[in-house]
Amino acid sequence: MKTIYLAGGCFWGVQRFFDQFDGVLSTETGYANGPDAAPGYRDVCAGSGHAETVRIDYDESVISLTELLRYYFMVIDPTSVNRQGEDKGIQYRTGIYYTDENQLPAIREVCREVEEKIGKTLAVELAPLRNFFPAEEYHQKYLEKNPGGYCHIPKAMFALAQDGGDLQFFS
């Protein structure tokens, strides 16, 4: 099992998106790479400096980090700073946070591919994970519990695996 931490705006949709893929063993929403004190949701919304982030545990024999990152870039605006969809603020920044330096080549390669494809520098924070604090229980699997909840990710993306998981953006 491997783990990667992805910040992609509101974590409700990011979690729901990644839960659909074979090889994703578990996901957890939380707050990452802010001060070392564990925040609550109100603290994060008040600008604590943490990013809404999803911890993704995956089986690399089923889904590679490269595939996960390619999917990630399908549901974020990689040039937007501190904003995804209608959500604005430092907690909505995009970021790839790793705990294993062996993941860096794959991360850098996919980021390079995306930059070449869009012709712009990415605004995605790439950093080692400094900390991760699980979000409150009501944030876990939020869109499963509240299917009508707001999400910046189009609902069609939640059926991507069902539709064959097309990664043509990277072809």
Side-chain angles (χ1 to χ4, degrees):
M1 181 180 82
K2 297 285 185 178
T3 302
I4 192 73
Y5 295 80
L6 300 177
C10 176
F11 50 23
W12 298 341
V14 175
Q15 181 179 45
R16 174 69 182 87
F17 178 71
F18 281 102
D19 279 343
Q20 72 181 302
F21 298 110
D22 288 339
V24 172
L25 305 174
S26 65
T27 59
E28 180 178 38
T29 60
Y31 313 114
N33 281 22
D36 286 335
Y41 184 65
R42 287 199 165 115
D43 301 319
V44 173
C45 290
S48 69
H50 297 84
E52 289 193 15
T53 302
V54 177
R55 188 197 80 233
I56 301 170
D57 298 323
Y58 62 100
D59 178 344
E60 66 183 338
S61 71
V62 178
I63 190 166
S64 69
L65 178 57
T66 297
E67 289 173 288
L68 287 171
L69 293 174
R70 287 175 173 168
Y71 285 128
Y72 169 71
F73 280 106
M74 292 174 74
V75 294
I76 65 163
D77 175 349
T79 62
S80 183
V81 177
N82 297 338
R83 179 181 183 157
Q84 291 294 302
E86 297 301 313
D87 297 318
K88 301 174 192 169
I90 194 168
Q91 73 269 30
Y92 299 117
R93 70 186 182 270
T94 54
I96 301 170
Y97 307 124
Y98 58 91
T99 57
D100 180 349
E101 298 235 349
N102 292 321
Q103 293 173 316
L104 277 173
I107 295 168
R108 287 184 177 133
E109 177 60 22
V110 173
C111 288
R112 184 195 58 73
E113 286 177 6
V114 174
E115 282 186 339
E116 284 182 9
K117 188 79 171 173
I118 66 175
K120 295 181 181 177
T121 301
L122 302 183
V124 178
E125 184 175 48
L126 173 55
L129 182 75
R130 292 191 317 268
N131 53 44
F132 179 81
F133 302 100
E136 297 82 351
E137 182 55 37
Y138 70 91
H139 286 298
Q140 306 300 330
K141 311 289 187 194
Y142 183 87
L143 290 178
E144 285 181 21
K145 298 179 227 175
N146 302 279
Y150 165 77
C151 184
H152 67 283
I153 299 172
K155 289 189 189 309
M157 296 304 281
F158 300 146
L160 190 66
Q162 214 173 336
D163 298 336
D166 188 5
L167 282 170
Q168 69 179 353
F169 174 83
F170 294 92
S171 310

